[in-house]
Amino acid sequence: MESQYTKKKSFIINAVYVLLIALIVYVALKYVFNLISPFLFAFGIAYLLKGPAKCISSLLKIPTKWVSVILVVLFYSTIGVLISLVGVKLISTATTIISELPTIYESQLEPFLINSFHGIENAVSGLAPTFINMFNEGFDQFVNTLGVNVTNLSLSLVGAISNIASSLPAFFIKILIMIISTFFIAMDYDILSKFMLRQFSPKGRKIILSIKQYMVNTLFVVIRSYALIMSITFMELFIGLSIIGIKNAILIALTVALFDILPVLGTGGIMIPWTLINFFQGNFETGIGLLILYIFITVIRNIIEPKIVGSQLGLHPVVTLFCLFLGANLFGVIGLFGFPITLSLLKHLNDAGTIRIFK
């Protein structure tokens, strides 16, 4: 009897322990990460530039600090120019498309709906006049409501872009803090890293160094895995678009493959609107081709992603799929990458005997 009670008590304690850890991780990712993210990214960038800085310093006999400063300037200058060019083009294109939604509705979607209605009306012309009148009134109301909704959607999207623009000052402050922090961390990376390690016990330092080494290797593995997935998606798109007869198939395939990595947009963020526009314009063959291509890519992506990412991280495909789904829904892009990596790290530490979480 006592043994049964002890087992139940142990189970409850372990369950509460796991829930507390999960709660701490959730709060840390949801709130704390947002506060310290500029410094974390700065530390990561400084770590990436540490190796090249030491190599150049030894070759040119220049102090490592000054080489680090030059590399940080070059890094942020290159990234800044690329983001500025791409960002301005994307924002201007998105704003133009959104502002033209009502015009697209009036010139293409509404005539398509009216022609479809006339076809249905001719098909049911032999029915009772009362039914036909009700059908006419319902259709008119549907078209008017749809037109109002399209206009409201356009205004809402423009408002969303305005809200994003209004939040840019806070975003730029974070970027500025990250850039300044990168300079200071890159100049004294060894001093700062050794200071932080000294705050832990020998066992704690061993765990931290093990986590660091594993995370660096795992990030490389994840990047390589998603690069492979994007390459497969690009080839599928290029071949499919070429068969359909779309011009500039290579450029379009590359753009859609890049969007495919984002959990919110994905392939459907481009392919579904593109398919609908072709249907509204009467290009049924192209629309059906795009729809079939989108379904094919989505099915293949859902099959290969858990397999490729899971095999690289040492996780079962079902576990990987669960982590991808849960992470994307809870934390977006960060969760999409972070959840599988975190679980892989915990499995690695558990297998190595560093910690004991599961059997």
Side-chain angles (χ1 to χ4, degrees):
M1 192 73 178
E2 183 67 25
S3 177
Q4 196 76 5
Y5 172 77
T6 304
K7 287 181 179 179
K8 291 181 180 179
K9 182 180 177 181
S10 177
F11 172 78
I12 293 173
I13 292 173
N14 290 332
V16 172
Y17 177 70
V18 172
L19 287 174
L20 283 175
I21 292 177
L23 180 62
I24 291 170
V25 171
Y26 176 79
V27 172
L29 288 174
K30 194 76 174 179
Y31 303 104
V32 178
F33 179 81
N34 187 45
L35 295 175
I36 65 174
S37 57
F39 303 98
L40 291 178
F41 286 123
F43 212 97
I45 294 169
Y47 174 79
L48 292 175
L49 298 178
K50 179 189 68 170
K54 288 185 176 181
C55 182
I56 295 172
S57 175
S58 63
L59 288 174
L60 301 180
K61 308 301 180 183
I62 302 174
T64 307
K65 286 188 176 182
W66 298 116
V67 177
S68 299
V69 170
I70 294 171
L71 288 179
V72 171
V73 171
L74 291 174
F75 175 83
Y76 279 116
S77 299
T78 304
I79 297 296
V81 170
L82 290 175
I83 291 177
S84 298
L85 293 174
V86 175
V88 169
K89 184 65 177 177
L90 286 176
I91 291 173
S92 62
T93 303
T95 304
T96 302
I97 293 173
I98 291 169
S99 61
E100 290 181 355
L101 278 178
T103 305
I104 294 173
Y105 170 77
E106 293 177 0
S107 62
Q108 297 183 10
L109 179 56
E110 189 175 10
F112 171 77
L113 293 174
I114 292 174
N115 292 332
S116 301
F117 165 74
H118 287 321
I120 297 172
E121 188 178 31
N122 293 331
V124 299
S125 58
L127 298 177
T130 305
F131 175 79
I132 294 176
N133 291 333
M134 290 176 58
F135 182 74
N136 289 335
E137 292 175 2
F139 177 78
D140 291 338
Q141 185 177 0
F142 169 74
V143 171
N144 292 331
T145 304
L146 185 61
V148 172
N149 289 335
V150 169
T151 303
N152 292 336
L153 175 64
S154 178
L155 294 174
S156 299
L157 292 174
V158 172
I161 292 176
S162 300
N163 291 333
I164 293 173
S166 65
S167 64
L168 286 178
F171 174 75
F172 284 132
I173 290 174
K174 283 187 176 182
I175 294 296
L176 181 62
I177 292 173
M178 183 178 73
I179 293 173
I180 295 172
S181 300
T182 307
F183 279 103
F184 289 116
I185 294 172
M187 292 174 66
D188 297 315
Y189 181 86
D190 291 333
I191 296 173
L192 292 172
S193 59
K194 289 177 182 177
F195 170 78
M196 288 188 289
L197 283 175
R198 284 198 299 269
Q199 311 313 308
F200 298 91
S201 64
K203 184 179 179 181
R205 287 197 291 269
K206 182 180 178 181
I207 294 174
I208 290 172
L209 291 174
S210 175
I211 291 173
K212 171 194 165 186
Q213 187 62 38
Y214 186 78
M215 289 297 289
V216 171
N217 294 335
T218 304
L219 284 174
F220 172 75
V221 166
V222 171
I223 292 171
R224 184 178 62 189
S225 300
Y226 277 100
L228 176 60
I229 293 170
M230 288 173 61
S231 300
I232 294 172
T233 304
F234 167 75
M235 291 304 299
E236 293 169 345
L237 283 164
F238 172 66
I239 295 171
L241 294 176
S242 300
I243 293 173
I244 295 171
I246 303 296
K247 296 180 180 179
N248 299 319
I250 293 180
L251 182 60
I252 296 173
L254 179 61
T255 304
V256 178
L258 291 174
F259 269 83
D260 188 49
I261 206 69
L262 302 175
V264 178
L265 294 174
T267 308
I270 296 178
M271 297 293 289
I272 292 176
W274 191 10
T275 301
L276 292 175
I277 289 173
N278 276 278
F279 278 127
F280 294 150
Q281 292 178 337
N283 302 325
F284 296 108
E285 291 184 2
T286 303
I288 292 172
L290 292 174
L291 180 61
I292 294 172
L293 179 60
Y294 167 67
I295 294 172
F296 177 79
I297 290 172
T298 304
V299 171
I300 296 298
R301 168 69 185 267
N302 288 327
I303 292 173
I304 66 173
E305 183 175 15
K307 191 69 177 175
I308 293 175
V309 178
S311 62
Q312 296 291 337
L313 296 178
L315 300 176
H316 192 277
V318 174
V319 178
T320 307
L321 186 61
F322 173 76
C323 290
L324 293 170
F325 176 77
L326 188 64
N329 280 276
L330 289 177
F331 304 108
V333 177
I334 294 174
L336 178 70
F337 295 102
F339 263 50
I341 292 174
T342 302
L343 189 59
S344 174
L345 172 63
L346 294 176
K347 180 181 179 297
H348 168 74
L349 295 175
N350 188 84
D351 293 343
T354 308
I355 58 175
R356 289 295 179 190
I357 301 177
F358 45 82
K359 297 180 182 179

